[in-house]
Amino acid sequence: MRITAHRKAHFNAAHRLYREDWDDAKNMQIFGKCSNPNFHGHNYDLTVSVSGEIDTETGFLIDLKILKDIIKAEVEDYLDHKNLNLEVPEFKKLNPTAENIAVVIHNRITAVLEDKFDLEVTLYETPRNFVTYKGE
């Protein structure tokens, strides 16, 4: 039987949306107040969804304690209370949009999650603005 388990998480982070190759006027035109040179922050909510087959021996898809520990190490400890542009290597050259943050989170979790699982991450930048990434 194929099933999906979900785990919610939360982290706070600051960022600035901008492109170095654009002047301030173009960055402001495209990204608006999100391009504030002094950064701005969000209280991000995250749902990590793991899909696969139920283990006939344990009855688990995945031990949710294991998933909790992965999320803590790969997302919360890595991103919480950070300035994404300045402190997170992936965003030194990558614009930290919700879309790109979701891809980075997906890639970090995928790197340590067993291959037998499919992964989907949904990142809420605000209660009304969110993205979902399932991988390629």
Side-chain angles (χ1 to χ4, degrees):
M1 285 184 287
R2 190 156 177 80
I3 197 162
T4 303
H6 307 274
R7 172 91 185 164
K8 290 185 176 182
H10 179 83
F11 64 95
N12 303 308
H15 68 161
R16 177 185 181 204
L17 301 184
Y18 77 105
R19 290 182 52 120
E20 288 182 2
D21 58 329
W22 293 352
D23 63 22
D24 286 340
K26 183 163 184 177
N27 275 301
M28 189 58 71
Q29 175 190 359
I30 301 300
F31 301 117
K33 64 183 180 180
C34 294
S35 186
N36 178 349
N38 295 312
F39 307 95
H40 68 283
H42 293 281
N43 300 315
Y44 292 95
D45 286 313
L46 176 68
T47 302
V48 176
S49 303
V50 176
S51 299
E53 300 293 324
I54 297 173
D55 183 290
T56 55
E57 187 174 349
T58 65
F60 288 153
L61 163 67
I62 185 172
D63 182 338
L64 290 176
K65 169 78 167 79
I66 292 170
L67 185 57
K68 173 187 170 186
D69 292 345
I70 290 171
I71 294 167
K72 182 175 183 336
E74 299 302 324
V75 180
E76 294 169 333
D77 291 348
Y78 192 66
L79 299 176
D80 191 37
H81 285 82
K82 301 281 175 68
N83 181 315
L84 301 178
N85 301 78
L86 302 177
E87 298 178 78
V88 178
E90 289 90 341
F91 299 113
K92 296 289 184 187
K93 297 291 181 187
L94 183 64
N95 205 3
T97 61
E99 295 86 343
N100 285 333
I101 297 167
V103 171
V104 166
I105 289 169
H106 187 282
N107 291 344
R108 289 185 60 82
I109 294 172
T110 298
V112 296
L113 190 67
E114 289 182 73
D115 290 341
K116 67 181 180 179
F117 299 118
D118 293 325
L119 177 67
E120 176 179 301
V121 297
T122 300
L123 180 68
Y124 291 81
E125 190 172 68
T126 72
R128 293 181 290 204
N129 296 334
F130 59 97
V131 298
T132 299
Y133 182 65
K134 297 178 183 183
E136 297 182 37

